[in-house]
Amino acid sequence: MSNHSAEQPTTSHAPMEARLTVAALVHWQGRFLVVEEEIKGQRRFNQPAGHVEPGENLIDAACRELKEETGLTATPTAWLGTYLFKPADSEATFVRTALVFDLEKAPGQHQPEDPDGDVLACHWLTLEEIAECKPALRSPLVWQCIQDYLGGTRLPLSALKAFI
C-alpha cells in the first residue's frame, strides 16, 4: 500500500488568448476564390476571412467577410470545420470556422469592397495554382481547408448555434 497524498499538485494555466475568425471556402467549376492581401509588407493569399464582430453569428460573419473582401454575395452550403492556429509571431490563437460556398451559378464580375483596404485583388485559382503559391499562403489553414473540402468534408450548417 502506498502513501500517496490524495491531493494532486496544482498547476496554474493562463487562459488562452483567442481570436474568433471565419473563412469562406468558395468553389466554382474547379476553381477556388482567394484574396490577395498585403500583410507586413508581403503579398499573401487567403480565403475571404476575418474577425467575427460583436453580436454577429458565424454564418452572417462569413457572408459579410465574403461580400467585403470580394464583392460577392452568396449563401453557404455547408460547414467545413473549426480550426485552431497559433502563429509563431503572435500571442493569440486563432479559432477559425470555415464555411463552404459551392456556387450554383457563375459568380459574374466582382471586386473587393474591403473597408479595411487589406485586399489587393480577388483570384479564381485551380488547386495546382494554389499549390504553386503555397509559400505565400496566409496560414496553413488555407491549404488545410482546401484539402478537407476535396476530401468531402461537409458538416450541416444547422450544427452552428448562436446565443448572442
Side-chain angles (χ1 to χ4, degrees):
M1 189 171 194
S2 94
N3 271 340
H4 290 143
S5 168
E7 280 186 43
Q8 296 295 320
T10 59
T11 57
S12 128
H13 295 285
M16 176 176 69
E17 182 185 338
R19 301 220 174 113
L20 182 58
T21 63
V22 291
L25 185 138
V26 186
H27 183 255
W28 168 249
Q29 294 188 341
R31 294 184 177 270
F32 296 93
L33 181 59
V34 297
V35 294
E36 183 178 351
E37 306 168 301
E38 186 168 335
I39 308 294
K40 298 179 183 176
Q42 296 183 342
R43 300 233 175 193
R44 298 285 183 215
F45 296 91
N46 196 8
Q47 280 110 9
H51 295 277
V52 178
E53 294 180 356
E56 199 172 41
N57 69 44
L58 297 166
I59 294 171
D60 290 344
C63 291
R64 177 187 49 77
E65 287 292 345
L66 177 62
K67 176 73 170 157
E68 287 178 1
E69 294 194 356
T70 70
L72 189 63
T73 300
T75 302
T77 54
W79 169 28
L80 186 61
T82 299
Y83 305 80
L84 292 178
F85 176 59
K86 171 81 171 68
D89 63 349
S90 173
E91 291 299 314
T93 298
F94 291 83
V95 180
R96 183 189 214 232
T97 296
L99 301 180
V100 173
F101 291 76
D102 274 317
L103 302 185
E104 293 181 7
K105 60 182 182 174
Q109 293 296 318
H110 55 91
Q111 296 293 325
E113 300 174 8
D114 185 19
D116 302 324
D118 296 331
V119 176
L120 304 173
C122 304
H123 305 283
W124 287 95
L125 302 179
T126 64
L127 179 64
E128 294 76 21
E129 291 167 329
I130 295 169
E132 288 174 13
C133 2
K134 223 171 164 184
L137 296 180
R138 175 115 187 228
S139 81
L141 300 182
V142 176
W143 186 255
Q144 186 61 56
C145 284
I146 292 169
Q147 293 306 302
D148 291 347
Y149 174 84
L150 293 173
T153 301
R154 306 289 188 280
L155 303 166
L157 289 169
S158 61
L160 295 174
K161 308 291 186 205
F163 299 90
I164 51 178

